[in-house]
């Protein structure tokens, strides 16, 4: 059993950061560094110091606070090996297959190229938590700034293979706009309708719609469902490959 605690907080306009706290040792990690102030505020209200920073990819809204946080806390900064030339301040680089531990718990690193070529996600099997960065969003997936649809579909298939009960933290809250798009393809998907009702309610209360669960995404997220018959029918792609359906859904999203 995991004793790690997870604290999600908003940063910048629509980024979300997460702190991972180990109450036994008092140590804390952060996933991505969207900005210094928001991370510092989340730490300070709990009287925590930052020991480790886990970076998912090189985009500015995920590393903007890296240098400041490292200087203030002397934290170890871990990030994607394939983006080591794009991220200043990494102490350690990791890639899929590497053995990584966080506060005594195993961390599985998956290479998830697509949004960027070196994007990685961090999966904590004992806690049942995935940090998906900008690879998977709730009801959506990251834009293909660097990779191909085939690369992104390969990355999402790795995520699809994780346990359905996995809690998924992602980099941005785009749930409602993603869901409006998703409903075009599966207007009769009851789980999607239900998810949208909850998400709209969250938005009206200015609450995040996150984290999500993989089970929920498998039932509602069109980017994880290119094999869903109703979606294929709406697209008139009944006999296409999963990759071709995924590619079309990604292209039409813009
Ligand atoms: Zn990004
Ligand atoms: Fe981002």
């Amino acid at each position: 059993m995991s004793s790690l605690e997870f604290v999600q907080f908003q940063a910048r306009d629509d980024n979300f950061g997460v702190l991972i706290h180990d109450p036994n040792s008092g140590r804390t990690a952060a996933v991505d560094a969207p900005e210094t102030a928001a991370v510092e505020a989340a730490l300070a209200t709990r009287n925590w110091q930052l020991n480790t920073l886990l970076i998912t990819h090189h985009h500015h809204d995920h590393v903007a606070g890296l240098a400041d946080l490292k200087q203030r806390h002397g934290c170890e900064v871990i990030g994607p090996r394939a983006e080591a030339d794009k991220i200043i301040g990494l102490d350690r680089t990791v890639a899929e297959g590497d053995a990584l531990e966080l506060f005594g718990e195993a961390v599985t690193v998956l290479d998830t190229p697509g949004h960027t070529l070196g994007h990685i996600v961090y999966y904590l099997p004992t806690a049942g938590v995935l940090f998906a960065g900008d690879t998977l969003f709730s009801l959506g997936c990251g834009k293909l700034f660097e990779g191909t649809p085939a690369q992104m579909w390969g990355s999402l298939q790795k995520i699809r293979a994780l346990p359905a009960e996995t809690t998924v933290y992602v980099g941005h809250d785009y749930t409602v706009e993603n869901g409006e798009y998703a409903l075009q393809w599966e207007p009769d998907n009851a789980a999607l309708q239900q998810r949208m009702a909850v998400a709209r309610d969250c938005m009206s209360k200015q609450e995040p719609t996150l984290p999500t669960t993989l089970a929920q995404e498998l039932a509602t997220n069109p980017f994880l469902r290119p094999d869903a018959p109703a979606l294929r029918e709406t697209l008139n792609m009944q006999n296409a490959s999963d990759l071709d359906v995924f590619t079309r859904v990604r292209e039409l999203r813009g």
Side-chain angles (χ1 to χ4, degrees), residues 26-238:
R27 290 177 294 180
T28 304
V31 181
D32 285 334
E35 61 171 328
T36 306
V39 179
E40 286 290 10
L43 289 165
T45 49
R46 296 164 180 87
N47 255 313
W48 294 346
Q49 294 291 310
L50 193 63
N51 301 90
T52 308
L53 183 53
L54 301 170
I55 301 292
T56 61
H57 67 294
H58 70 83
H59 282 160
H60 181 71
D61 62 309
H62 297 257
V63 300
L66 190 164
D68 269 357
L69 290 166
K70 186 172 176 177
Q71 190 183 19
R72 288 168 190 230
H73 296 274
C75 52
E76 182 184 31
V77 184
I78 299 170
R81 185 166 305 139
E83 296 185 355
D85 58 334
K86 296 193 176 81
I87 304 171
I88 298 163
L90 293 181
D91 298 303
R92 179 173 169 195
T93 65
V94 290
E96 187 167 316
D98 286 0
L100 178 64
E101 270 199 5
L102 183 69
F103 311 146
E105 287 193 21
V107 178
T108 303
V109 178
L110 298 175
D111 292 330
T112 56
H115 179 69
T116 65
L117 284 175
H119 195 298
I120 58 175
V121 301
Y122 299 92
Y123 172 58
L124 281 58
T126 309
V129 172
L130 173 72
F131 296 99
D134 287 358
T135 294
L136 181 69
F137 294 132
S138 180
L139 303 183
C141 79
K143 281 196 174 136
L144 303 183
F145 286 115
E146 297 179 11
T148 63
Q151 284 176 312
M152 186 56 128
W153 175 234
S155 299
L156 293 175
Q157 283 179 287
K158 293 180 190 177
I159 291 175
R160 275 209 324 179
L162 296 174
E165 61 270 22
T166 302
T167 298
V168 185
Y169 289 90
V170 305
H172 300 267
D173 192 341
Y174 300 143
T175 308
V176 169
E177 56 194 280
N178 284 338
E180 280 161 5
Y181 176 74
L183 280 167
Q184 290 179 34
W185 307 120
E186 289 193 279
D188 300 324
N189 180 330
L192 176 56
Q193 293 166 353
Q194 168 71 13
R195 170 63 171 150
M196 279 296 275
V198 172
R200 286 203 172 98
D201 190 49
C202 289
M203 293 293 269
S204 71
K205 294 179 190 153
Q206 308 221 28
E207 289 168 5
T209 69
L210 307 168
T212 181
T213 65
L214 187 54
Q216 177 163 255
E217 296 308 315
L218 291 170
T220 57
N221 187 327
F223 299 95
L224 295 180
R225 296 170 57 76
D227 46 358
L231 179 145
R232 286 170 161 259
E233 202 181 317
T234 320
L235 286 161
N236 202 15
M237 294 182 77
Q238 287 93 332

